[in-house]
């Protein structure tokens, strides 16, 4: 059959285009979240293992959302564009705020990050961890960040610092006038000053809170804090500033000393592999081809790559290196208006723009242009997955590359 004779469904299948999702009236926020989360194979596996059913009216919210997301993904796998009616219905039942209607009677736009957080909270209650008895569910296993926190009173030398543990499912990147690159915003998140009552001074005093990451998840979600509530206009106004994000992310600087030491063995393996690849490329294989091959390595089957987790904590990240695999963008001036789109890596440097029912291929370069600075689609959530190291390395390997993790922080070096 010729391309011009195919209907949309046949065309999508021929081009390996996955299914789109119909917009049911300002529901692009939910569609974008569903498409981005679909890029995590381990989440898909855990959802497939879930035995619950959608029982409208009788089932719990967590049960209904988990089952409907599982069923929606199953339907999407057939390649047909789907109206996600049941998913929307259970979301509205669980979170009535998402069902608000505007003056014209249609659904109002919602904040995609709030939707992401609420769906993850529901999945936390129902998904099972995979081969890891130390965590209670798949969401914490593959997305859970753990930090140690230290709270020190700046105004009292004698007051002992308070230590604690904090857990997150997202890492926030705060944006101010000095943040031009993602790395800077991520480092800034680790320190904040706050006012609280000091027991030693018996008055309010200034404290410095310091965080260090003690557990990196296999998949790290970064929220670009782009919306600030403006009391006067009562809107979540958008920070349009351009903040560059890399394809390859290195979280090493954000980790505690103990975790940094644990990351070294895997990082050394990556470094040795890169050294071999660089030498190989210098023999005339050519850098462009090498870069292309490195990207293809990230598409290797699970059994062809080294474990990217620590043996005692399946689902963690054992190198600190990540590769970008999904971006959720917002176009407009406030979180409760405008338009949301999901951008998901397909293979190599080909990505898919998932704009409701329209799914189209785009180049990786187009995705990196979603860094902000104007009224174009702007990155709001970034989803990074583990960087993969092939088991077959050295002279036996068919892949060549000169990409190094250093490339990920090149921009950050330029700004110092």
């Amino acid at each position: 059959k010729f391309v011009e004779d195919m209907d949309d469904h046949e065309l999508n299948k021929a081009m390996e285009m996955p299914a789109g999702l119909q917009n049911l009236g300002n529901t692009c926020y939910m569609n974008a979240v569903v498409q981005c989360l679909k890029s995590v194979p381990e989440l898909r596996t855990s959802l497939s293992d879930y035995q619950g059913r959608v029982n409208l009216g009788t089932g719990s919210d967590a049960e209904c959302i988990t089952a409907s997301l599982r069923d929606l993904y199953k339907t999407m796998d057939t390649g047909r564009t789907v109206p996600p009616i049941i998913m929307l219905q259970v979301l509205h039942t669980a979170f009535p705020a998402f069902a608000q209607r505007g003056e014209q009677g249609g659904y109002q736009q919602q904040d995609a990050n709030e939707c992401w957080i609420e769906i993850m909270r529901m999945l936390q209650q129902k998904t099972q961890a995979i081969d890891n008895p130390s965590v209670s569910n798949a969401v914490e296993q593959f997305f859970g960040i753990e930090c140690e926190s230290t709270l020190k009173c700046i105004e009292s030398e004698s007051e002992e610092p308070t230590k604690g543990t904090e857990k997150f499912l997202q890492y926030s990147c705060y944006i101010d006038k000095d943040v031009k690159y993602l790395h800077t915003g991520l480092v800034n998140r680790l320190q904040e000053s706050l006012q609280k009552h000091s027991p030693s001074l018996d008055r309010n005093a200034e404290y410095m809170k310091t965080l260090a990451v003690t557990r990196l998840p296999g998949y790290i979600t970064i929220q670009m804090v782009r919306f600030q509530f403006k009391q006067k206009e009562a809107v979540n106004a958008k920070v349009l500033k351009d903040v560059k994000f890399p394809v390859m992310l290195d979280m090493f600087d954000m980790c505690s000393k103990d975790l940094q030491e644990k990351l070294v063995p895997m990082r050394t393996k990556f470094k040795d592999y890169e050294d071999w690849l660089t030498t190989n490329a210098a023999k005339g294989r050519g850098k462009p081809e090498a870069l292309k091959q490195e990207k293809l390595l990230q598409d290797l089957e699970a059994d062809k790559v080294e474990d990217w987790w620590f043996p005692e904590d399946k689902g963690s990240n054992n190198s600190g290196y990540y590769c970008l695999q999904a971006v959720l963008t917002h176009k407009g001036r406030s979180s409760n208006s405008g338009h949301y789109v999901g951008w998901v890596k397909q293979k190599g440097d080909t990505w898919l723009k998932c704009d409701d029912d329209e799914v189209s291929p785009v180049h990786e370069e187009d995705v990196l242009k979603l860094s902000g600075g104007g009224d174009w689609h702007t990155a709001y959530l970034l989803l990074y997955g583990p960087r993969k190291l092939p088991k077959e390395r050295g002279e036996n390997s068919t892949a060549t590359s000169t990409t190094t993790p250093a490339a990920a922080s090149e921009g950050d070096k330029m700004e110092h």
Side-chain angles (χ1 to χ4, degrees), residues 359-401:
V359 178
S360 52
V362 293
H363 195 275
E364 182 181 271
E365 283 173 14
D366 298 317
V367 175
L368 294 174
K369 288 175 188 159
L370 305 168
S371 55
D375 282 331
W376 181 237
H377 299 281
T378 303
Y380 183 23
L381 289 164
L382 303 169
L383 179 60
Y384 283 90
R387 186 190 178 195
K388 291 164 188 167
L389 184 68
K391 282 180 179 172
E392 205 178 88
R393 301 194 294 278
E395 297 299 330
N396 306 324
S397 173
T398 52
T400 60
S401 157

Side-chain angles (χ1 to χ4, degrees), residues 89-328:
Q89 205 173 341
V90 296
L91 190 72
H92 283 177
T93 305
F95 308 105
F98 289 153
Q100 285 174 343
R101 293 182 181 269
E103 289 168 13
Q104 310 298 315
Y107 294 127
Q108 288 183 335
Q109 182 65 278
Q110 302 295 330
D111 185 328
N113 187 48
E114 284 177 20
C115 178
W116 182 297
I117 289 166
E118 297 297 10
I119 287 176
M120 292 299 258
R121 219 161 49 81
M122 296 285 109
L123 298 181
Q124 237 176 321
Q125 295 174 41
K126 292 295 169 186
T127 54
Q128 297 292 313
I130 301 168
D131 304 331
N132 186 344
S134 64
V135 290
S136 56
N137 60 75
V139 170
E140 281 167 36
Q141 180 179 9
F142 295 103
F143 296 87
I145 306 158
E146 290 177 21
C147 295
E148 59 185 20
S149 66
T150 308
L151 199 58
K152 176 78 184 106
C153 181
I154 293 169
E155 299 177 47
S156 167
E157 278 301 313
S158 59
E159 190 173 310
E160 284 293 309
T162 313
K163 293 199 177 285
T165 305
E166 296 189 17
K167 294 184 176 188
F168 310 99
L169 291 177
Q170 289 186 347
Y171 193 118
S172 301
C173 173
Y174 293 118
I175 300 169
D176 62 29
K177 61 181 189 338
D178 300 321
V179 176
K180 296 188 186 74
Y181 300 95
L182 181 67
H183 188 270
T184 320
L186 298 181
V187 171
N188 286 358
R189 170 71 181 92
L190 299 174
Q191 253 194 353
E192 63 176 317
S193 71
L194 50 97
Q195 291 278 332
K196 77 180 230 24
H197 184 266
S198 160
S200 63
L201 301 172
D202 197 26
R203 62 171 171 82
N204 271 4
E206 192 177 346
Y207 281 77
M208 181 59 77
K209 183 181 179 182
T210 312
L211 291 174
V213 177
T214 53
R215 185 211 191 240
L216 282 171
Y219 296 84
I220 195 160
T221 310
I222 292 169
Q223 183 214 355
M224 309 297 283
V225 184
R226 286 209 171 267
F227 295 104
Q228 291 171 351
F229 189 73
K230 290 203 169 173
Q231 204 72 46
K232 198 177 164 190
E233 295 91 351
V235 291
N236 266 340
K238 189 170 176 184
V239 179
L240 296 170
K241 193 172 189 304
D242 184 351
V243 179
K244 302 272 182 250
F245 53 88
V247 172
M248 198 178 294
L249 175 68
D250 187 359
M251 290 294 291
F252 189 78
D253 293 345
M254 279 56 88
C255 298
S256 67
K257 288 278 180 283
D258 285 354
L259 181 53
Q260 285 181 342
E261 282 175 22
K262 281 180 71 183
L263 297 173
V264 166
M266 193 62 173
R267 292 172 76 84
T268 306
K269 283 188 184 181
F270 270 113
K271 181 76 177 68
D272 293 344
Y273 184 47
E274 284 156 11
D275 288 346
W276 178 83
L277 291 169
T278 308
T279 311
N280 206 42
K283 291 175 189 168
R285 294 275 181 101
K287 192 171 178 179
E289 182 58 27
L291 280 165
K292 193 174 163 189
Q293 289 298 331
E294 160 74 9
K295 292 211 176 84
L296 293 174
L297 288 178
Q298 301 310 310
D299 304 324
L300 286 173
E301 294 296 317
D303 61 347
K304 300 274 197 308
V305 296
E306 298 272 5
D307 291 348
W308 38 261
W309 57 84
F310 291 112
E312 73 283 3
D313 183 10
K314 184 172 183 173
S316 61
N317 175 304
N318 63 4
S319 70
Y321 296 139
Y322 289 89
C323 287
L324 187 65
Q325 70 176 47
V327 180
L328 189 149

Side-chain angles (χ1 to χ4, degrees), residues 18-19 21 28-44 47 69 72-73 76 112-113 116 119-120 123 143 170 219-222 324-330 340-345 351-355 367 370 379-385:
L21 292 165
C28 56
Y29 69 94
M30 181 187 80
N31 291 349
V33 170
V34 167
Q35 291 282 20
C36 289
L37 290 178
K38 189 170 176 279
S39 73
V40 180
E42 292 79 7
L43 182 64
R44 295 286 318 268
L47 282 170
L69 186 61
L72 179 57
Y73 283 154
M76 288 170 78
N113 187 48
W116 182 297
I119 287 176
M120 292 299 258
L123 298 181
F143 296 87
Q170 289 186 347
Y219 296 84
I220 195 160
T221 310
I222 292 169
L324 187 65
Q325 70 176 47
V327 180
L328 189 149
T329 58
H330 176 264
Y340 290 100
V341 173
W343 310 68
V344 180
K345 185 181 172 188
W351 280 63
L352 298 170
K353 178 184 180 183
C354 303
D355 186 351
V367 175
L370 305 168
Y380 183 23
L381 289 164
L382 303 169
L383 179 60
Y384 283 90

